Amino acid sequence: MILFYVRHGDPIYSPDSLTPLGERQAEALGKRLSAYGIDRVFASTSERAKLTAKPLCEMLKKEITELDFCNESYTWNDFIVKTKSGSWTWLFSDPDTRVLMLDKSMRDLGFEWYNHPKLVDRDYKKGIERIYDESDKWLASLGYEHERYSGRYKIQSRNSERIALFAHQGFGLAFMSCLLDIPYPSFTTHFDICTTGLTVINFQEAGEYAIPRVLTFSDEGHLYKEGIMTGYYFNTIRF
């Protein structure tokens, strides 16, 4: 199986939609994925994710299967921190928290990072376990049973499909850390996902197991091809 993970296009968060730029990005992405051939299309229940998947579905005459557990609203509640100014932001977006997540004291905790003394005021364990549980159920429905923290999946039924999942940045970073068995702090401080960034993961089968291998991460070649400005220019996170 090959999994294509896509973040939605340039968003309007309220009301939940896409900007004109986001619509152009979605069209460019649809052209790219339709050339690859996609067997099934999944999307978060948010409108911006479904609108990003729409051009591809129209090109391939596919229906969207909605996955509510991917909706960003749940992940936002699970993975935010209060900043010095009193506002709320993602753990990976707050400068002080990013420094903490890179600290040896955090890295030594591995997959139990949420037990760090500076994070125990919020129940991050509940959030990451929700992502693990729901993601594992979905991947099991595709034929792969996750053996947690081993980096591999027991093959329950062989799957040669190409699967596309349209969702979000915040959810996607948590999902990928779970799927690839990389602790959340390590993953989110070193990776980011641009709008319509395309991540391709091959579930490479070896005997009774499959090991997910990243072929490309948050690639924006479709935007470059269509002459659309990419995240390299306007979506850079500064520490």
Side-chain angles (χ1 to χ4, degrees):
M1 181 180 79
I2 298 180
L3 173 62
F4 297 83
Y5 185 89
V6 183
R7 181 187 176 188
H8 58 72
D10 189 56
I12 299 172
Y13 289 109
S14 182
D16 183 15
S17 188
L18 295 178
T19 66
L21 171 60
E23 292 174 355
R24 290 181 63 205
Q25 292 174 332
E27 287 284 344
L29 189 279
K31 292 178 183 178
R32 180 178 184 178
L33 284 183
S34 64
Y36 293 164
I38 298 295
D39 297 296
R40 283 194 276 175
V41 179
F42 295 85
S44 157
T45 47
S46 75
E47 288 302 312
R48 58 189 181 275
K50 290 186 287 184
L51 288 171
T52 305
K54 184 179 177 182
L56 171 66
C57 291
E58 290 177 345
M59 292 173 196
L60 296 182
K61 296 181 171 55
K62 300 285 185 182
E63 296 293 329
I64 296 174
T65 299
E66 297 183 17
L67 298 176
D68 189 54
F69 82 89
C70 299
N71 195 297
E72 188 96 299
S73 61
Y74 307 130
T75 319
W76 172 256
N77 291 330
D78 290 339
F79 294 95
I80 55 174
V81 65
K82 184 173 284 190
T83 67
K84 288 180 178 178
S85 66
S87 62
W88 291 92
T89 189
W90 293 106
L91 282 166
F92 54 81
S93 293
D94 176 56
D96 292 333
T97 307
R98 284 201 300 266
V99 171
L100 173 64
M101 290 163 77
L102 289 167
D103 191 81
K104 185 176 184 298
S105 64
M106 179 72 77
R107 290 187 283 113
D108 286 347
L109 290 171
F111 291 103
E112 296 185 354
W113 57 272
Y114 42 76
N115 287 328
H116 195 283
K118 292 186 178 180
L119 295 181
V120 294
D121 58 327
R122 287 184 60 85
D123 192 0
Y124 296 114
K125 178 181 179 181
K126 179 181 177 182
I128 201 68
E129 287 186 345
R130 180 189 70 82
I131 296 285
Y132 259 109
D133 290 342
E134 295 296 334
S135 299
D136 284 353
K137 287 178 186 176
W138 181 61
L139 290 165
S141 75
L142 299 174
Y144 299 95
E145 183 179 342
H146 191 187
E147 292 189 354
R148 291 190 182 183
Y149 315 124
S150 72
R152 65 182 189 174
Y153 291 72
K154 184 72 176 292
I155 301 171
Q156 300 298 322
S157 60
R158 299 194 179 276
N159 188 342
S160 60
E161 292 181 304
R162 295 185 169 212
I163 303 292
L165 172 57
F166 290 77
H168 309 269
Q169 176 199 31
F171 167 79
L173 291 173
F175 172 71
M176 290 293 171
S177 74
C178 295
L179 187 153
L180 299 172
D181 290 310
I182 300 173
Y184 179 85
S186 297
F187 194 86
T188 58
T189 51
H190 292 289
F191 292 88
D192 195 15
I193 307 175
C194 299
T195 50
T196 67
L198 177 63
T199 297
V200 184
I201 298 177
N202 178 28
F203 279 72
Q204 186 171 355
E205 298 186 357
E208 297 180 354
Y209 291 91
I211 300 174
R213 302 190 69 182
V214 179
L215 304 182
T216 188
F217 193 89
S218 193
D219 183 79
E220 300 174 292
H222 50 284
L223 302 183
Y224 179 81
K225 184 177 185 298
E226 297 296 322
I228 301 171
M229 186 176 291
T230 69
Y232 294 118
Y233 295 100
F234 64 85
N235 203 31
T236 302
I237 293 179
R238 289 184 171 86
F239 278 72

